[in-house]
Amino acid sequence: MAGTEEIEAQARQGDVRAQFAYAALLDQQGRHPEALGWLERAARAGDARSGTFLGARLLTGYAAPKLPDRAAEMLVLAAGNGGGEANELTAAMRASGRFLPQDWNAAFDALERAAAAKEPRARDQLRILSGPGGLDLASLLVVPEPRVLSAAPSLLAYEGFLSAEQCDWLIERARGRIKPARVYDEGTGGGVESRTRSNGSTEFHLIESDVIMALVRARIARAAGIAVANLEELAILHYEPGQAFARHVDYLDPENAAHAAVIAERGQRVATFLIYLNEGFEGGETEFPRLDLRFKGRKGDAILFWNADAAGRPDRMTLHAGLAPTQGCKWLLSQFLRNRPWPYE
């Protein structure tokens, strides 16, 4: 293996592989700004790997400043240079409209380029999303007609909101990532583990997201009549037998000082969307005790309930619980909707 001085010399001579390697050496020494500079130099010379790595770091702030707009620029550059990973990520960014203009056709094109570059997740997404005639955005965004479970508060059920394959995809994306779920801390407004909630969960931030997730969020927004920008990060919940989420509300209490500060900064959680991702378990209903109602969907079924009105006034009738499965595991998709754009981090 070449020594540091030799790698540096090759990097300075314009060898993009050496520039990537030299950046790694600089990172090991804690010289991160210099490392970023070499990655950008290699990226602008056409090295897709360097552009992808740099873009991901600028997007997440890992050993780098968090600069999402510049990250998008680097990722688009890497995608144009044939980077499969970069094409897959820019596909998700274009589908969601986060840090790149929202454009489904451009998203599908990028996903196809990623699949052509032999990115397995891109290939699988295309298989799941394609119908007999290929990718048809209009049909992918169709929302089934809801069934009214409660008029006040509004509680709607959607049969077959997602296909079985889409459900399986989401479960597999979440598998291995599940950690103890958290609740809002009454004192700080932040997240904290609690004895009231024993299930697991995971959230998907942009760097971990994909086109299928963007499509799910677009359909949820369409069902609720709320802009996609108002959706928090998508979460997948997992319940082992005996695990539950005790009775609670999803809105933030404006009479609690910490919650009021969060509402002022980030808006109220006005609605909740839950999708059942699997079957084969006993129990596990979503209970609304004040409505004397329990819901248990089949695979792909969903419910939408409004925790607060358009002005953000809470509805205490939305008290609910995630009951424990008595046999088998339960998987759910959980999506909170705010009354103002969510400040993605």
Side-chain angles (χ1 to χ4, degrees), residues 1-11 16-36 38-39 49 53 57:
M1 181 177 177
T4 301
E5 291 183 0
E6 184 179 349
I7 292 174
E8 180 182 359
Q10 292 172 353
V16 294
R17 291 187 179 184
Q19 289 169 352
F20 185 88
Y22 187 49
L25 291 171
L26 292 169
D27 273 326
Q28 290 173 13
Q29 297 169 19
R31 297 160 64 184
H32 302 307
E34 293 175 76
L36 297 176
W38 281 103
L39 287 172
R49 179 175 62 162
F53 193 52
R57 286 175 62 166

Side-chain angles (χ1 to χ4, degrees), residues 82-85 87 112-119:
E85 241 187 293
N87 270 295
E112 288 175 343
R113 289 194 296 272
K118 300 184 178 179
E119 286 294 329

Side-chain angles (χ1 to χ4, degrees), residues 13 20 30 45 85 104-105 115 119 143 157 164 222 255 262 272 284 305 314:
Q13 291 168 8
F20 185 88
E85 241 187 293
W104 282 105
N105 290 328
E119 286 294 329
V143 174
R222 177 172 288 197
E255 297 180 4
V262 175
T272 301
F305 54 96

Side-chain angles (χ1 to χ4, degrees), residues 47-61:
D47 185 47
R49 179 175 62 162
S50 294
T52 303
F53 193 52
L54 175 59
R57 286 175 62 166
L58 295 173
L59 197 59
T60 60

Side-chain angles (χ1 to χ4, degrees), residues 221-258:
R222 177 172 288 197
I226 283 182
V228 175
N230 290 29
L231 274 59
E232 293 184 26
E233 304 288 7
L234 179 150
I236 303 293
L237 313 183
H238 179 253
Y239 291 76
E240 294 279 354
Q243 291 184 338
F245 191 175
R247 292 177 178 179
H248 64 284
V249 292
D250 288 342
Y251 60 76
L252 305 178
D253 185 356
E255 297 180 4
N256 176 289

